[in-house]
Amino acid sequence: MIKKLLVTGAMCLALYSNTFAQNDIIQSRQYPQNYFRYPLDLTPPTTAGSFGELRPSHFHSGLDFKTNQRTGYPVHAAAEGYISRVRVQFGGFGRAIYITHPNGYTTVYGHLESFSPAVIDLVKKYQYEHQTYEADFNLTPTQVPVKKDEVVAISGNAGASAGPHVHFEIRDSKTEETINAQLFGLTIPDKVPPTITSIGIYHLNGKPFSEKTSKEFLGVTGSAGNYHLIKPQTLELSGNIGFGINTTDMNSTSFNHNGVYSIELKLDGKTVYTFAVERFAFDQTHAINAYIDYPAFESSRRWMQKCFILPGSRISLYPQSVNNGIITFDDNATHDVEYVVKDVAGNTSSLKLKVKSSPFVNPQPVKPTGTMFYYDKRSEFSNDKVKVIIMPGNLYDDLDFQYSVSAKPVGAYSAMHHIHNRLTPIHDSYEIWIKPDVDLGKYADKAVIVSSWGGCQGGYFKDGYVISQVSAFGDYYIKIDTVPPVIHPLNIKNGSNMKAARSINFRMSDNLSGIKSYTGTIDGKWVLMEHDYKSKILSYTFNNDIAPGKHVFKLALVDNKNNFSEFSADFSR
C-alpha cells in the first residue's frame, strides 16, 4: 500500500511500504501497483543485481532476474503495449527489446537469446538492408502489438553479461528515466536488513574534495540491523566534516550482495542527507564517481559511499540535503550522528555515533601548485606541446590541475604528457591536443593518442596537433597506426569441405586503433556475421541460401585508421 507524509523543506516525500516491509521507504511519487507482471514465470522471483547497485562507472539501471544459471526460459510482456524498439549489439544488452505501454512507461528486456518470430524477421530485414550485424531501430505502434503475458523473447546470456539472466527495466516513456521496478509492486522476497562494514570521516574544511582530502576509515561490526564501531569511542571532530559508509544488501532468495535502497545521515535526530535509488536519467549515471570516494575506489577498490554531495554532481538520487550533507562541528558540544540504511523492502540497519565537537581554527589558505580548474566553468591548460580543454559539467569539484612531461616512450611520436592523475574522475570527456615531436608527413592521418593504461584513445590531425576526446586523466602520447588488422580463421582454409560445418568461424585482432568494420561475403553476396562478446568469435551460420557445390568466402576487416585486411578461401558444401 502507499502512505503519504508531508515533509517540511524543499519537497514532499511519499513513503511506500509493501506487504513484507518493516518500515516505510523514501520516494518522490506513487507508481502503478498490480499493473506490470514479472518478466519470468520462475518462482519465487530472485535477482542477481538490484536497481541502483554500484557498478564501475555507473549505477545499475534495472533488476537482473536469475534464470537458474541457464538460458531458454520464456520472457513475457509485463503488460499490454507494443514493441517500440529492438536492439542487437556486440556488448551491452546483446539482444534487447523495448515495450511501450499505454500508461506512460516502457519496459526493457536485455541479454536475450532470441526474439519472437515477428521480431526476428524485422531484425534480419534490417541487418540485410543495412549490411550490419548490430541493429538499433524503432517500431510503430501497429507493427508488433503485444498483450500482457505474451511470450516476446527467450532468456539468454547475450552481450556483456556475467551469466544467464534477464535484465529488466521500467522507464518513464517521456523522460526515459529508469525507475526502480520494485516500486511498482514487482518485489523480491526480502527480510534481510542491509550490512554495514565501515564508515568514513572526511575533513573538508572548505577545500575541494580530492585524493589529498584528510580522511579516516573506521571498522564496523553488528548484525540484525544494529551496528556499532568495532572500537567504541566518542569521535572528536572539528570543522566541516563529511561522512561516508560502506554498506551492501541481500534479499531472502539469493546470496548475492546487492546495493541498498536508501541512506540517511542524521545529526541530533534531524536528517541532513538522503540518498535513495528511486529513479535516474542515463546521462547522470557516471556521477556514481562523484557519489563514491573515487580515489579510494581507484587505489584499493573500496566502495565507500560519501554522505555529502560534491558541487558538480547532478543526479536525482539525492532527494534532500542540508548544506550538501556537510556538517560543521565547532560548538564544544556532544552530538549524536546516525546512519539509517534501508533496502527497498524497508528492512533497516542503523549505526549511531557520539561526536565531541570543538572550535575550529581555519588554517592558512593553501595556494594552488598547478592551474585551478572550476567545475562550473570552461577550463583550459596549454603550453607549446599540449592543450587540455574541459567544459562545464565534467568536473565534480574545483581542481588544482597538475601537469608534467617525461621522455618519449619507445615507438612514440611525442613525449609522455602526464595529465593530472587517475584519482580524479571525469563525468563524460574532455579534449586533449598533443603536438608531435616530428613531422608526421604522410602518416598524419594514421596518428592516434595512446594512454599508458588504456590503449588507443583515437584522434585526428589538425593544425599541427593530434586531437582526441578522452574520458579520464592519465598519461598520454602519440603513436602511428599503419598495421592492418589480423584475421585468424578457425575452421576454414582454401579448399575446405564445409558440408558438415554449421558455421564459418574467425577471430580477429588489431594492434592499436581497433577494428572499425568487418564484411563477409559468399560468392560476392553480403552475409550476416555475428560477433560474440564473450568468445570474441566472429561467425557466419550456414542457412538454406547456400546451395551444394563450390563457393568463395571472403572476409574484409578495416581498422579505425583505415588499414585493411582480407581473407579469401574456396570451399565446398
Side-chain angles (χ1 to χ4, degrees):
M1 67 179 184
I2 302 292
K3 298 180 180 179
K4 294 183 179 179
L5 175 68
L6 293 177
V7 180
T8 59
M11 63 181 296
C12 294
L13 299 179
L15 299 181
Y16 160 97
S17 66
N18 53 42
T19 56
F20 53 78
Q22 299 174 8
N23 295 289
D24 295 319
I25 65 168
I26 298 164
Q27 64 184 94
S28 64
R29 68 199 75 180
Q30 299 180 17
Y31 298 98
Q33 304 295 297
N34 304 314
Y35 186 91
F36 295 110
R37 58 154 289 168
Y38 296 93
L40 300 165
D41 280 336
L42 300 176
T43 55
T46 181
T47 54
S50 63
F51 182 86
E53 184 175 295
L54 309 184
R55 302 283 178 88
S57 292
H58 69 282
F59 293 99
H60 188 233
S61 59
L63 295 178
D64 284 345
F65 283 97
K66 289 188 173 184
T67 56
N68 295 324
Q69 299 181 337
R70 70 176 183 87
T71 64
Y73 286 102
V75 177
H76 301 269
E80 178 185 1
Y82 70 97
I83 296 179
S84 56
R85 181 183 177 190
V86 180
R87 189 171 189 185
V88 178
Q89 59 186 142
F90 170 60
F93 290 156
R95 299 180 190 89
I97 60 170
Y98 300 67
I99 300 177
T100 295
H101 306 280
N103 67 341
Y105 297 98
T106 296
T107 51
V108 182
Y109 314 73
H111 305 300
L112 303 172
E113 183 173 272
S114 63
F115 304 116
S116 66
V119 175
I120 289 174
D121 291 343
L122 289 170
V123 169
K124 183 173 289 188
K125 181 175 183 289
Y126 179 96
Q127 290 170 326
Y128 275 85
E129 284 181 352
H130 295 80
Q131 295 193 353
T132 176
Y133 167 69
E134 294 203 339
D136 187 359
F137 58 92
N138 297 322
L139 284 72
T140 66
T142 59
Q143 282 182 277
V144 189
V146 297
K147 297 180 179 179
K148 187 174 185 177
D149 302 326
E150 183 177 338
V151 176
V152 293
I154 300 298
S155 72
N157 189 27
S161 62
H165 70 277
V166 172
H167 176 94
F168 177 76
E169 298 178 14
I170 300 179
R171 299 184 184 180
D172 185 310
S173 298
K174 184 176 181 179
T175 67
E176 295 191 2
E177 289 177 301
T178 184
I179 309 166
N180 196 322
Q182 294 204 59
L183 301 180
F184 291 81
L186 300 182
T187 54
I188 308 300
D190 187 354
K191 294 184 180 296
V192 184
T195 299
I196 302 173
T197 54
S198 63
I199 64 168
I201 300 172
Y202 299 84
H203 302 267
L204 301 170
N205 298 325
K207 301 175 185 176
F209 175 79
S210 74
E211 75 280 5
K212 297 179 181 179
T213 298
S214 176
K215 59 190 174 185
E216 53 258 13
F217 299 133
L218 303 177
V220 169
T221 188
S223 62
N226 298 306
Y227 289 86
H228 56 85
L229 295 179
I230 292 176
K231 182 181 178 181
Q233 57 185 299
T234 296
L235 303 175
E236 296 186 0
L237 298 177
S238 176
N240 296 327
I241 301 296
F243 288 88
I245 188 169
N246 190 322
T247 179
T248 58
D249 186 47
M250 295 173 63
N251 60 50
S252 298
T253 68
S254 170
F255 291 106
N256 292 75
H257 289 269
N258 300 137
V260 302
Y261 179 81
S262 66
I263 300 171
E264 290 181 82
L265 183 67
K266 296 184 177 183
L267 176 67
D268 298 327
K270 297 181 179 180
T271 300
V272 296
Y273 165 91
T274 306
F275 169 85
V277 289
E278 178 186 353
R279 58 193 290 155
F280 62 86
F282 285 94
D283 62 359
Q284 300 174 344
T285 191
H286 289 169
I288 188 175
N289 293 329
Y291 171 62
I292 64 172
D293 181 342
Y294 187 79
F297 177 76
E298 280 293 301
S299 59
S300 63
R301 285 303 185 259
R302 182 192 293 266
W303 287 102
M304 184 61 65
Q305 301 171 60
K306 301 199 306 294
C307 297
F308 58 96
I309 306 169
L310 300 187
S313 178
R314 298 289 182 265
I315 191 165
S316 55
L317 300 179
Y318 305 120
Q320 173 273 337
S321 73
V322 178
N323 193 34
N324 285 335
I326 299 170
I327 301 173
T328 300
F329 293 104
D330 62 358
D331 60 0
N332 274 324
T334 299
H335 298 276
D336 294 314
V337 173
E338 182 181 12
Y339 296 88
V340 179
V341 184
K342 296 184 180 183
D343 61 26
V344 73
N347 302 300
T348 303
S349 295
S350 65
L351 168 66
K352 296 180 179 180
L353 307 171
K354 287 288 186 183
V355 175
K356 177 65 172 67
S357 174
S358 60
F360 176 68
V361 178
N362 284 313
Q364 292 295 321
V366 178
K367 293 183 179 180
T369 59
T371 302
M372 283 304 300
F373 282 4
Y374 298 96
Y375 73 89
D376 57 350
K377 298 179 181 178
R378 181 185 186 278
S379 298
E380 180 174 334
F381 171 87
S382 64
N383 57 29
D384 61 341
K385 294 293 185 181
V386 69
K387 184 185 297 185
V388 174
I389 302 171
I390 303 181
M391 301 304 291
N394 281 294
L395 294 174
Y396 299 122
D397 209 339
D398 295 342
L399 176 67
D400 185 2
F401 175 81
Q402 304 292 317
Y403 166 82
S404 62
V405 63
S406 59
K408 180 169 63 176
V410 175
Y413 284 75
S414 74
M416 175 80 81
H417 298 277
H418 306 284
I419 310 300
H420 200 67
N421 64 61
R422 294 274 295 155
L423 300 180
T424 297
I426 295 292
H427 183 72
D428 186 12
S429 65
Y430 66 94
E431 197 167 80
I432 181 171
W433 300 41
I434 299 179
K435 181 173 288 188
D437 286 348
V438 298
D439 183 5
L440 298 182
K442 64 180 182 179
Y443 298 116
D445 64 347
K446 303 292 185 182
V448 294
I449 291 178
V450 175
S451 70
S452 62
W453 50 269
C456 180
Q457 305 296 308
Y460 60 93
F461 187 77
K462 178 184 176 183
D463 298 334
Y465 288 85
V466 180
I467 305 169
S468 183
Q469 292 281 338
V470 298
S471 59
F473 289 130
D475 304 333
Y476 296 96
Y477 58 98
I478 295 173
K479 290 190 76 173
I480 298 296
D481 184 4
T482 58
V483 180
V486 178
I487 299 171
H488 308 269
L490 299 180
N491 68 339
I492 186 173
K493 60 183 179 181
N494 198 42
S496 289
N497 184 335
M498 305 296 290
K499 183 176 182 179
R502 296 182 63 251
S503 59
I504 302 175
N505 304 319
F506 298 86
R507 293 189 190 275
M508 52 186 181
S509 61
D510 187 70
N511 74 315
L512 188 55
S513 63
I515 294 169
K516 178 171 67 175
S517 66
Y518 53 85
T519 303
T521 62
I522 295 179
D523 301 332
K525 183 180 178 181
W526 184 88
V527 292
L528 178 65
M529 304 197 70
E530 178 175 351
H531 194 194
D532 183 75
Y533 182 83
K534 296 176 183 65
S535 69
K536 303 299 188 287
I537 291 176
L538 181 68
S539 61
Y540 162 75
T541 300
F542 284 107
N543 56 42
N544 296 330
D545 294 339
I546 306 301
K550 292 185 177 181
H551 303 276
V552 179
F553 179 90
K554 290 185 178 181
L555 175 64
L557 301 185
V558 180
D559 70 15
N560 283 295
K561 284 299 169 180
N562 295 318
N563 300 301
F564 174 84
S565 293
E566 185 176 73
F567 169 87
S568 179
D570 296 335
F571 72 94
S572 60
R573 284 283 284 176

